[in-house]
Amino acid sequence: MTVLESGLSVISWLLAIPFILFFTIYVLELIFGLRRTINRYNDASTTAVDKPQLAILIPAHNEGSIITQTIAVLRENVPPQTRILVVADNCSDNTADLARKAGAKVVKRSDDNNRGKGFALAFGRDQLANDPPDCVIILDADCTLAKGTAAKLASTAIKKSVPVQATNLIYSAAEAPPVVQISNFAMLVKNLVRQRGMTRLGGAALLTGTGMAFPWQIFATAPLANSDLAEDLALGIAITRQGYAPYFLESAGVSSEAAAQEDTLVQRTRWEHGFITTARRHAIPLIASGISRFSRSQFFLGLHLIVPPLALLMAMGMGILLVLACTTFWGSTALPFILLLMIVTAALLLTIAAWLMEGRKVLSFGALIRIPLYVLWKIPVYLKLLRGSENRWIRTRRSGEEVIPDPTND
């Protein structure tokens, strides 16, 4: 082997090893996550325990178009005597009045310097502290809890003394644009299949920002007030490090309607930039801490965090395969290319299996075959990341809502 061929072989291994690792983690999570939980929607082990005092905390920023319906549906699906507290956060509309008329207790918060969901939650916690409940469930204003979910979440959180996350999915009409359907499917893979697989491997569940329950003793001291774009992810990491690894309760469900196509890119930019920024800070320390403390929850959570979001993972994997094919043609060892090709192929096949088993209700076959176009559609998200991650909290426009400029987002 010549010097050039040896150099190319070294470069090939350096390029391939990180992506072999990323795809291996993804494949393992799918292998462990594809099997459905028995009695998924009828988990007898989560029946109510002594009717705990329950509070639902809803942070709401200019949600006048949906807050009445959200509270009406919620009141039908939660146990009697459940407190519903809406934090009208920096609102310039009638969210507070509508929420109060719908039967919720409302507190108003105005603070242009500390914007974001985390600050709203901390403000709501201060109000609840005057008469603490046994359990607090956080619900986004555009979300719906499935029947019986509140009782299941509260009961499980109190029995296990850890935060509990419901299955959080996004749905859209059958005629929704393909990019919206594919985005919904990516969320299903992340919040159901990979969530299921990671927790079966021993990792902590990811907190997804809505449909998550906290025993009061944990919620009272949780680090809520922060400006992280992925404040839910950061919160779950902090609580896991404290020894209270969140638990995934698949039989509990929370759902929301997908954003319109023009708003989905904004939403995905915020989510993925927030994930990547948070993962960059915490993934390696979590892995190291998991090894040193023999903590499976921290170790597997750290491994999960080093895997890029699905579209970026696939796009980068295909790009590296192309580069490795070229280096192999020019004389480097073919082993890095072969190994990465095998693991990428396994990832693609398992993703298709996830669609067949779980995803057909959110992603049609016609939209499925357009996934390569979806990856191209996501390129602006990743180019924007190269210029610097998104650091503003931007509210996603609700279905049917007119575009109303929010001066606080300037």
Side-chain angles (χ1 to χ4, degrees):
M1 181 178 289
T2 66
V3 174
L4 174 61
E5 291 172 341
S6 297
L8 287 174
S9 295
V10 171
I11 292 172
S12 295
W13 279 115
L14 291 175
L15 290 173
I17 287 174
F19 287 92
I20 291 172
L21 175 61
F22 299 157
F23 277 98
T24 298
I25 296 167
Y26 178 76
V27 164
L28 282 174
E29 289 181 346
L30 261 60
I31 288 173
F32 279 84
L34 281 174
R35 178 176 58 83
R36 291 180 176 177
T37 300
I38 298 175
N39 297 325
R40 172 174 165 184
Y41 296 107
N42 185 26
D43 189 345
S45 67
T46 59
T47 54
V49 176
D50 296 330
K51 297 182 179 179
Q53 295 183 35
L54 175 61
I56 311 274
L57 180 56
I58 304 176
H61 172 67
N62 287 347
E63 301 289 5
S65 63
I66 60 172
I67 195 66
T68 299
Q69 178 67 14
T70 296
I71 295 172
V73 173
L74 183 60
R75 289 172 65 87
E76 295 177 357
N77 291 341
V78 298
Q81 310 307 317
T82 298
R83 283 183 275 171
I84 300 175
L85 176 62
V86 174
V87 178
D89 186 46
N90 288 307
C91 290
S92 57
D93 68 352
N94 59 348
T95 294
D97 292 337
L98 291 174
R100 195 174 289 112
K101 289 178 182 178
K105 181 180 178 182
V106 178
V107 291
K108 294 183 179 181
R109 175 181 177 271
S110 297
D111 187 343
D112 288 340
N113 294 322
N114 296 307
R115 290 179 50 78
K117 181 178 175 181
F119 295 106
L121 292 176
F123 188 82
R125 176 176 59 188
D126 292 342
Q127 311 305 310
L128 292 173
N130 297 319
D131 181 18
D134 298 317
C135 180
V136 178
I137 294 176
I138 295 174
L139 183 71
D140 283 349
D142 62 334
C143 291
T144 301
L145 289 177
K147 192 77 172 178
T149 283
K152 288 180 179 181
L153 287 173
S155 174
T156 305
I158 291 171
K159 285 195 295 185
K160 293 184 175 293
S161 297
V162 296
V164 179
Q165 174 63 57
T167 303
N168 177 16
L169 300 178
I170 298 177
Y171 295 98
S172 58
E175 63 274 12
V179 292
V180 174
Q181 293 186 46
I182 297 168
S183 181
N184 295 347
F185 174 64
M187 186 66 71
L188 181 146
V189 171
K190 173 179 174 288
N191 286 353
L192 175 59
V193 182
R194 293 183 65 194
Q195 181 89 284
R196 195 195 272 155
M198 182 171 60
T199 54
R200 285 174 179 167
L201 285 166
L206 293 180
L207 295 180
T208 64
T210 186
M212 48 188 190
F214 298 82
W216 178 257
Q217 66 270 25
I218 294 177
F219 191 68
T221 59
L224 300 175
N226 66 72
S227 56
D228 275 302
L229 283 179
E231 73 284 320
D232 44 1
L233 180 61
L235 176 61
I237 291 169
I239 290 177
T240 299
R241 282 178 165 158
Q242 293 171 0
Y244 302 105
Y247 178 81
F248 177 50
L249 184 61
E250 185 181 342
S251 63
V254 60
S255 62
S256 59
E257 183 180 354
Q261 178 172 332
E262 59 269 25
D263 299 307
T264 297
L265 186 62
V266 175
Q267 187 181 62
R268 297 300 300 184
T269 298
R270 175 167 57 87
W271 287 350
E272 295 192 13
H273 284 207
F275 176 88
I276 292 170
T277 300
T278 302
R280 197 160 45 197
R281 289 202 309 266
H282 296 289
I284 301 303
L286 276 169
I287 294 171
S289 178
I291 294 172
S292 64
R293 299 183 180 184
F294 301 99
S295 170
R296 291 175 66 192
S297 60
Q298 293 190 46
F299 178 72
F300 281 104
L301 177 58
L303 288 181
H304 177 89
L305 292 178
I306 69 172
V307 180
L310 184 55
L312 179 58
L313 175 67
M314 293 298 179
M316 294 176 70
M318 295 300 178
I320 294 298
L321 275 175
L322 180 60
V323 172
L324 293 179
C326 293
T327 59
T328 301
F329 177 78
W330 290 328
S332 77
T333 175
L335 190 55
F337 173 77
I338 293 171
L339 290 177
L340 184 58
L341 179 61
M342 291 172 60
I343 196 67
V344 169
T345 301
L348 290 172
L349 292 175
L350 286 166
T351 303
I352 293 172
W355 174 75
L356 289 171
M357 296 179 65
E358 302 285 358
R360 285 180 289 177
K361 56 184 175 290
V362 300
L363 177 63
S364 67
F365 178 76
L368 175 70
I369 61 178
R370 299 181 187 180
I371 285 180
L373 296 178
Y374 173 79
V375 174
L376 294 176
W377 178 77
K378 293 288 288 294
I379 287 177
V381 173
Y382 306 130
L383 291 177
K384 194 171 183 181
L385 184 62
L386 291 175
R387 297 194 301 268
S389 62
E390 177 65 67
N391 56 18
R392 298 176 302 151
W393 180 87
I394 301 175
R395 174 185 172 275
T396 303
R397 184 163 58 100
R398 308 308 182 200
S399 177
E401 186 178 74
E402 295 181 0
V403 178
I404 302 175
D406 185 349
T408 61
N409 277 337
D410 292 340

